[in-house]
Amino acid sequence: YIGSISHKKTTGVALVNCLPIVSEDDNSSPSSPPSLRPRIGIGVDIEQTFSPRRSIAKKILTKNELEHLGKLNGVTVDEEVLLRFSLKECVYKAMHPLISQWVGFQEAEIHPHEDGTATVTLNLKSGAHEQFDTIQAHWRRVEGGYFLTSSKVTLKD
């Protein structure tokens, strides 16, 4: 199994799935079992659509993302900053089991679309994103004033 969790105050979400795991050819000795690694990562995040904290836009968004703020119908600019933050968080959670490395906010660009999908562009300094086959991200506004985001990342064969 593989999963992801997120919470805000009294609200929590979890995403769990039974996913295929492949054996890596690591030339391990006959006495040690082969290492196993997941081929798919999943991530989930939940963020309040309104937050009284100061803007985090310049810290978490790329220059290109900042230039495209405010073009999502029905979402205020402040909400969109939090939405993009949440989308980045869920993508990072999906990637981590696959590449086991820290990813900075400037290494990912995410553009949410009105249909609940998002375009994800990665430019990891390590080049680890070259291992990925697909990156999917989705979002929706949910009851209680939250954005719920989820993602799936798959490795190339």
Side-chain angles (χ1 to χ4, degrees):
Y1 293 93
I2 194 164
S4 181
I5 62 171
S6 184
H7 64 87
K8 288 288 177 251
K9 296 186 181 182
T10 61
T11 301
V13 293
L15 185 61
V16 179
N17 200 351
C18 181
L19 300 172
I21 296 178
V22 297
S23 174
E24 292 184 328
D25 182 16
D26 61 1
N27 297 323
S28 58
S29 69
S31 62
S32 66
S35 74
L36 300 176
R37 111 175 168 155
R39 303 285 305 159
I40 299 171
I42 57 176
V44 68
D45 193 57
I46 191 164
E47 292 293 331
Q48 291 180 296
T49 57
F50 172 77
S51 177
R53 63 186 167 198
R54 61 188 163 119
S55 179
I56 58 172
K58 289 182 181 176
K59 181 177 180 180
I60 65 153
L61 301 180
T62 66
K63 181 181 176 185
N64 189 40
E65 288 172 312
L66 287 167
E67 291 171 358
H68 286 90
L69 280 176
K71 298 179 181 175
L72 196 57
N73 286 333
V75 179
T76 69
V77 170
D78 288 339
E79 288 176 334
E80 189 177 344
V81 170
L82 293 172
L83 173 59
R84 288 177 188 246
F85 171 79
S86 184
L87 284 161
K88 287 187 180 194
E89 285 291 307
C90 76
V91 169
Y92 297 163
K93 289 177 182 182
M95 290 186 328
H96 191 268
L98 305 176
I99 61 173
S100 299
Q101 73 178 53
W102 182 84
V103 177
F105 284 113
Q106 300 299 311
E107 295 180 274
E109 230 174 63
I110 300 190
H111 295 277
H113 306 293
E114 291 176 21
D115 66 357
T117 63
T119 301
V120 179
T121 305
L122 297 175
N123 187 22
L124 306 186
K125 292 174 188 168
S126 69
H129 61 285
E130 298 296 331
Q131 300 175 52
F132 301 140
D133 184 33
T134 59
I135 304 167
Q136 299 173 339
H138 297 86
W139 69 276
R140 69 181 300 171
R141 191 185 295 265
V142 296
E143 188 176 329
Y146 295 96
F147 285 124
L148 177 63
T149 59
S150 62
S151 64
K152 176 182 171 184
V153 176
T154 58
L155 291 174
K156 293 178 181 174
D157 288 333

